[in-house]
């Protein structure tokens, strides 16, 4: 038996399904998870010694690949001074300066320990600031696992959310309106019907959690106009896109300034960090200045702050975004070109260094068209690549990430593995 299988057996007796986050269990593809031992650059190595070119990137944070020396060194240095104090430390302000330099819309911010926390707190703040109840989200966008965000659109034209998880009361789900992504008409209609009750619209400005789906022309602009007109807040969930698409995230790329921004993943340099922030007059409503409560024992943790600082300083100095986008464009175009002559129905969506290979011949522009792609064929694609030492996200509706550590040779190896795998599908 492989070491991974052994560890999986042991873990299953202790951890629910042997994992600490459901996507890791590979349930969607019916396999057993592979336990990793270490990583370096673009590569990770499992406990049985097998090597993989990694496009999972720990689900987004690893823009410099695995174990980048300057980031590891910064974390080690901070760790030797003490892991946590529960008091303010200098590195919190340093990381905040870097975040604000990238995101001028984040005049004031607060650090938390995950993207879930950032989104949950931003929406509580939006409700506290506006004194309103309703939240608008888009089908297929993911904003963490807080109660009000684990909802999907109901049947028919109804937009009031239904729980997608047991344990979420219907009464809470109904406070979230769920609309189709990229549908400006439905947004206008929702504001006509409910405008005075809507506290905030939360959106992934480039969707990554229905697979990669770019915003269509004017979509983000309409969100900005409608929220402004009706006195609601616009919340950009840039947990993935924040330092992935540009220095300054999707709001810089698309030129739309949200009221609040949520960050996570890259901002912690591989450690658990989230952040939310925005206009000072809104952020001042937060405790202890204002009545909206939010707190965290390990928020602003000095080891995580140090890793975040090293990551952002490296990003600011190297500005890798154009070259990352070029590499990713080459890879995604290469995959598309391998599918066409084999008559495989494949649509590759890409924005910057994030991309998704959808098994469908139709354009993917929202959660519904994303769900029409062939998830079982994707699962076989994933397994075929895995066998050949290429690690893609294990499910169809996820983003793959190219990092600064990927080399031309990595991309060549990947395209060869894709070509061989396509032959088996
Ligand atoms: C990952 C993610 C989250 C949740 O972040 P966690 O750190 O996993 O809690 C929220 N929003 C988006 C867009 C994400 O991709």
């Amino acid at each position: 038996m492989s070491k991974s299988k052994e560890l999986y057996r042991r873990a299953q007796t202790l951890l629910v399904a042997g994992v600490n986050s459901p996507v890791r269990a590979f349930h969607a593809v019916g396999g057993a998870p592979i336990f990793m031992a270490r990583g370096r650059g673009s590569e990770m190595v499992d406990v049985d010694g097998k090597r993989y070119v990694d496009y999972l990137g720990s689900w987004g944070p690893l823009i410099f690949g695995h174990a980048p020396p300057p980031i590891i060194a910064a974390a080690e240095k901070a760790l030797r001074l003490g892991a946590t104090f529960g008091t303010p430390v200098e590195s919190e302000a340093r990381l905040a300066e870097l975040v604000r330099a990238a995101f001028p819309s984040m005049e004031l911010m607060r650090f938390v320990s995950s993207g879930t926390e950032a989104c949950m707190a931003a929406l509580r703040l939006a409700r506290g600031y506006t004194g309103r109840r309703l939240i608008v989200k888009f089908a297929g966008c993911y904003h963490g696992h807080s109660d009000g965000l684990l909802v999907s659109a109901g049947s028919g034209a109804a937009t009031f959310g239904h729980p997608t998880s047991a344990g979420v009361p219907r009464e809470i789900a109904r406070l979230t309106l769920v609309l189709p992504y990229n549908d400006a008409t439905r947004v206008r209609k929702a504001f006509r019907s409910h405008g005075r009750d809507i506290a905030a619209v939360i959106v992934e400005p480039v969707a990554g959690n229905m697979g990669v789906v770019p915003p269509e022309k004017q979509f983000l602009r309409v969100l900005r106009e409608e929220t402004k007109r009706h006195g609601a807040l616009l919340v950009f969930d840039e947990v993935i896109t924040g330092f992935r698409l540009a220095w300054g995230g999707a709001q810089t790329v698309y030129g739309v300034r949200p009221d609040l921004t949520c960050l996570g993943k890259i901002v912690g340099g591989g450690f658990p960090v989230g952040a939310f922030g925005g206009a000072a007059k809104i952020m001042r409503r937060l405790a202890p200045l204002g009545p909206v409560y939010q707190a965290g024992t390990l928020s602003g943790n000095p080891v995580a702050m140090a890793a975040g600082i090293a990551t952002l300083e490296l990003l600011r100095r190297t500005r890798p975004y154009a070259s990352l986008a070029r590499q990713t464009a080459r890879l995604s175009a290469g995959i598309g070109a391998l599918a066409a002559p084999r008559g495989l129905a494949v649509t590759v969506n890409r924005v910057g260094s994030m991309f998704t290979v959808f098994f469908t011949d139709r354009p993917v522009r929202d959660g519904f068209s994303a769900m029409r792609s062939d998830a079982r064929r994707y699962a076989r694609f994933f397994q075929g690549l895995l066998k050949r030492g290429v690690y893609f996200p294990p499910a169809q509706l996820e983003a793959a990430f190219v990092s600064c550590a990927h080399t031309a040779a990595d991309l060549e190896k990947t395209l060869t593995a894709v070509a061989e795998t396509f032959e088996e599908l």
Side-chain angles (χ1 to χ4, degrees), residues 21 59 113-119 141-145 204 206 208-209 237-241 262 264-265 273-274:
S21 197
W59 302 89
S113 300
S114 69
T116 294
E117 268 187 275
C119 296
C141 285
Y142 178 69
H143 308 290
H145 60 86
E204 290 181 73
V206 171
N209 287 288
D237 178 352
E238 298 226 40
V239 168
I240 290 181
T241 54
C262 303
K265 299 193 170 128
V273 178

Side-chain angles (χ1 to χ4, degrees), residues 139-177:
C141 285
Y142 178 69
H143 308 290
H145 60 86
S146 67
D147 282 352
L149 293 170
L150 290 182
V151 296
S152 65
S155 51
T159 53
F160 289 102
H162 285 237
T164 55
S165 163
V168 174
R170 241 193 343 238
E171 290 83 351
I172 288 181
R174 285 183 58 82
L175 297 176
T176 307
L177 307 181

